[in-house]
Amino acid sequence: MEPGLRDGQVVFVDKRAYLTRPPHDGDVVVAHHPHDDVEIIKRVEFVDDGVYLRSDNHTEQTAQDSRSFGMIGLENVWGRVTSVVQ
């Protein structure tokens, strides 16, 4: 997710953030990848019956974001990043 986050940084995640409301555009979220058994951290570009996630590094050719897998269901988003430890 560089330049927003770098490998090795620790993030704090609010797992209850979306129990009462959907993600908002611009939120940085942790979500389950729809095709791989991994968690990803991406920025919400827009919400419309699902969530479109985008990497902050828009020039990354192998981006694992909605450009490659499409929108994901709200149930795949399980938390909002609240802070980052440098």
Side-chain angles (χ1 to χ4, degrees):
M1 167 115 192
E2 288 185 17
L5 296 173
R6 293 181 309 277
D7 284 341
Q9 287 184 301
V10 175
V11 297
F12 290 92
V13 179
D14 180 357
K15 292 194 218 179
R16 299 184 304 172
Y18 303 123
L19 293 178
T20 59
R21 69 167 182 87
H24 291 145
D25 298 356
D27 284 357
V28 177
V29 300
V30 179
H32 187 74
H33 191 288
H35 305 299
D36 294 327
D37 191 23
V38 297
E39 304 306 315
I40 55 176
I41 300 175
K42 301 293 176 189
R43 189 171 305 278
V44 175
E45 191 159 297
F46 64 87
V47 180
D48 181 23
D49 292 332
V51 182
Y52 191 90
L53 301 176
R54 188 82 184 251
S55 173
D56 278 354
N57 185 356
H58 296 299
T59 62
E60 184 179 344
Q61 294 299 316
T62 59
Q64 288 297 306
D65 61 20
S66 290
R67 292 176 290 170
S68 63
F69 53 71
M71 293 185 78
I72 65 168
L74 290 169
E75 69 278 1
N76 287 327
V77 178
W78 63 265
R80 180 175 58 85
V81 173
T82 58
S83 58
V84 179
V85 177
Q86 302 297 330

